[in-house]
Amino acid sequence: DAKTTQPPSMDCAEGRAANLPCNHSTISGNEYVYWYRQIHSQGPQYIIHGLKNNETNEMASLIITEDRKSSTLILPHATLRDTAVYYCIGSGGYQKVTFGTGTKLQVIP
Amino acid sequence: GAVVSQHPSWVICKSGTSVKIECRSLDFQATTMFWYRQFPKQSLMLMATSNEGSKATYEQGVEKDKFLINHASLTLSTLTVTSAHPEDSSFYICSARDLEGGETQYFGPGTRLLVL
């Protein structure tokens, strides 16, 4: 897995967009950028992944820089239920997924 | 789609007993499943990779004779904690990779184990 760096914590006002950054400068060409989140006392939930292009699904958008050294996960309208630890992971070639410390996002009413 | 279940969701046992945790992929087939352990306020730590029909691959420092893994079918992997001790108390989480869905891993809800 590529080494990733994320801020330990962030706050976001409810209803506003939450932008979670991730640095993955050592990511290799065949490694995807995956985002998962873990709500307290639950298993991780898959959010989104991408290789080079920006991606969007019903949960979030993923913006990957052209050099692929960093990415941003965007939750367009954060709700209190989005409070969780968000993990950015670089993985590819059917490698095992290992977790870093993630970003603890607190959505504030 | 891509639902993974675990059973039981929580278990309390006496020291010295063995505990079996099941991980099932409900709507897809998984040739590879993974087992993680998470202690309070820490991140997930990969314990082992389980491949259907073959022996599991354990991470460094994980005792294979203590944490027995069986992946007998494309939808079921089991983790048995043998001779459990209080220090084995943790949150155990499995994940599965969809055979036809590429590389994405989907996680179960976790099993909380308390050894008294």
Side-chain angles (χ1 to χ4, degrees):
Chain A
D1 289 356
K3 179 176 170 55
T4 61
T5 305
Q6 299 177 254
S9 64
M10 290 182 64
D11 290 340
C12 177
E14 188 179 17
R16 305 298 289 266
N19 297 283
L20 292 91
C22 178
N23 287 319
H24 34 78
S25 58
T26 62
I27 197 169
S28 63
N30 68 341
E31 288 184 316
Y32 289 83
V33 179
Y34 281 87
W35 282 85
Y36 290 86
R37 72 180 181 184
Q38 187 177 26
I39 296 170
H40 184 62
S41 296
Q42 298 182 24
Q45 177 188 22
Y46 165 78
I47 301 173
I48 197 168
H49 74 285
L51 186 63
K52 294 181 182 179
N53 300 321
N54 299 335
E55 302 288 344
T56 296
N57 62 20
E58 64 278 4
M59 289 184 67
S61 295
L62 174 60
I63 308 297
I64 303 174
T65 59
E66 193 169 340
D67 61 9
R68 300 209 332 123
K69 292 185 176 181
S70 66
S71 61
T72 301
L73 178 75
I74 302 172
L75 308 178
H77 304 287
T79 70
L80 297 179
R81 287 179 294 182
D82 292 322
T83 292
V85 179
Y86 287 76
Y87 295 97
C88 166
I89 298 165
S91 180
Y94 294 89
Q95 297 172 15
K96 56 192 178 184
V97 170
T98 54
F99 286 77
T101 52
T103 296
K104 185 173 184 178
L105 175 68
Q106 181 70 50
V107 180
I108 303 169
Chain B
V3 178
V4 177
S5 70
Q6 283 184 240
H7 178 79
S9 55
W10 60 270
V11 56
I12 301 173
C13 69
K14 293 181 179 180
S15 185
T17 61
S18 294
V19 175
K20 179 185 283 188
I21 302 170
E22 293 186 349
C23 176
R24 293 181 185 272
S25 55
L26 297 185
D27 51 2
F28 66 98
Q29 292 183 322
T31 54
T32 305
M33 290 183 170
F34 303 86
W35 287 96
Y36 295 80
R37 180 168 55 180
Q38 186 176 34
F39 293 108
K41 298 188 178 182
Q42 294 186 22
S43 187
L44 285 77
M45 291 185 59
L46 180 65
M47 299 175 66
T49 301
S50 167
N51 292 299
E52 186 264 339
S54 64
K55 290 183 178 180
T57 303
Y58 291 82
E59 295 299 301
Q60 191 172 7
V62 178
E63 300 176 57
K64 62 181 181 181
D65 294 331
K66 180 169 184 63
F67 299 99
L68 302 179
I69 292 172
N70 184 278
H71 192 162
S73 77
L74 287 173
T75 60
L76 174 65
S77 176
T78 60
L79 168 69
T80 301
V81 183
T82 62
S83 186
H85 288 97
E87 58 264 31
D88 298 322
S89 297
S90 189
F91 191 44
Y92 291 85
I93 306 167
C94 73
S95 69
R97 183 177 279 150
D98 187 344
L99 182 65
E100 298 181 0
E103 302 175 29
T104 302
Q105 285 183 230
Y106 299 95
F107 288 80
T111 297
R112 196 161 298 280
L113 170 64
L114 177 60
V115 184
L116 301 177

